[in-house]
Amino acid sequence: MHLAAYQIILITVYAFIAINDSLISNTLTQPAIAGMISGMIMGDLKTGLMVGGTLQLMRLGIAAFGGASVPDYFTGAVLGTAFAVISGNGAEYGIGLAVPVSLLMLQLDVVARFCNVFLLHRIDRAIDNMQVKRIPRLVLSGSFLWGLSRAIPILLMLLAGDAVVTTITDNTPEWLMTGLKTAGGVLPVVGVAILLRYLPTKHYIPYLLLGFFLAAYLQVPMLGVSIIGLVAAMLVFKRDSEKGTVATAAAGDFEGGYDGDE
């Protein structure tokens, strides 16, 4: 498959808007959303959801606190989806390619932050000199540079990717291609392990084993397992709510407090 000009433009514009949105809502840069939108633009929504969803699992529990830089799974999801569709090797290839791209963009993220620090010092100087009209222009300049920090690398990779990715795919040794697909198949396991690490898994081991049994041995589709999980969550929520109601009612039976003063 070859990239069309409108696909390159749409993905680049989306990257510019999404990275600026991360300063407000941090919605469009979620890997699952990035993979979905990139997949829609590329005409393969399923591959986009598979690549983005896998990277979303890897992103859980990772945040850029205090200005720290973390792997850019957003860019990885966008380019991983695009290259997976171009090469025709499936989501596993895109996932395996997205991880090194995310780590590479980690370094470029530091450069983008450095540029904004330079502008921030100029804003401070404008405030000291009471140059109020310069401040909005400098702030917008920072937003513009921040958007270009993702738009330019993605644009360059997409422009090179149409020919380069096809050439690399055709000339890549079978063992390396198999390795990338294997790595792409293992990475979802890593993401699920990270997710389980931050969830109260020990309290819900029976439900975890039930889901594994349904998917692995009974071959129940993911939608069916998800519906059963939703039912289990509703039952647990109802049980915990009833416990809270009983505990509140029991506490109200004791004399004292405001109601028992008389």
Side-chain angles (χ1 to χ4, degrees):
M1 175 183 176
H2 296 282
L3 275 170
Y6 78 90
Q7 291 175 321
I8 297 176
I9 294 173
L10 287 177
I11 292 177
T12 303
V13 171
Y14 163 66
F16 183 90
I17 295 174
I19 195 62
N20 276 297
D21 176 75
S22 67
L23 302 175
I24 303 173
S25 66
N26 200 28
T27 300
L28 294 177
T29 54
Q30 296 297 322
I33 302 297
M36 180 187 70
I37 294 177
S38 301
M40 292 173 61
I41 295 174
M42 295 298 298
D44 192 341
L45 179 60
K46 180 180 178 181
T47 298
L49 289 173
M50 291 178 67
V51 173
T54 301
L55 294 178
Q56 185 73 54
L57 290 174
M58 299 181 64
R59 189 183 184 279
L60 293 175
I62 300 177
F65 294 115
S69 295
V70 297
D72 187 3
Y73 292 116
F74 159 69
T75 304
V78 172
L79 294 177
T81 300
F83 290 163
V85 177
I86 292 173
S87 64
N89 289 316
E92 293 83 2
Y93 174 79
I95 295 168
L97 195 62
V99 174
V101 169
S102 302
L103 296 175
L104 174 63
M105 288 302 300
L106 169 63
Q107 311 303 323
L108 295 180
D109 182 72
V110 175
V111 176
R113 292 175 186 271
F114 175 79
C115 293
N116 278 338
V117 168
F118 171 76
L119 289 173
L120 182 60
H121 287 311
R122 301 198 63 173
I123 292 174
D124 291 337
R125 192 178 304 115
I127 293 174
D128 293 337
N129 297 330
M130 297 300 294
Q131 297 173 328
V132 180
K133 294 183 178 180
R134 290 189 60 197
I135 297 174
R137 293 198 299 269
L138 291 171
V139 171
L140 290 177
S141 298
S143 176
F144 185 74
L145 288 176
W146 187 244
L148 292 179
S149 69
R150 299 308 189 278
I152 291 179
I154 288 177
L155 174 62
L156 293 177
M157 293 182 185
L158 289 178
L159 289 175
D162 192 6
V164 173
V165 172
T166 303
T167 302
I168 292 176
T169 303
D170 293 340
N171 295 278
T172 299
E174 185 65 26
W175 61 267
L176 181 57
M177 188 65 68
T178 303
L180 286 174
K181 291 184 177 181
T182 302
V186 172
L187 288 176
V189 179
V190 178
V192 171
I194 295 174
L195 176 62
L196 294 179
R197 176 67 179 80
Y198 288 93
L199 292 177
T201 309
K202 294 181 180 179
H203 300 289
Y204 303 105
I205 287 292
Y207 300 105
L208 177 64
L209 295 177
L210 175 62
F212 177 78
F213 174 77
L214 292 174
Y217 292 96
L218 298 185
Q219 304 298 320
V220 178
M222 279 295 121
L223 180 60
V225 176
S226 300
I227 293 175
I228 295 175
L230 176 62
V231 172
M234 294 172 65
L235 293 175
V236 171
F237 178 78
K238 181 179 180 181
R239 182 195 63 190
D240 293 343
S241 299
E242 291 176 350
K243 285 184 179 180
T245 303
V246 171
T248 303
D253 292 340
F254 291 101
E255 295 183 355
Y258 295 107
D259 295 331
D261 288 339
E262 297 179 354

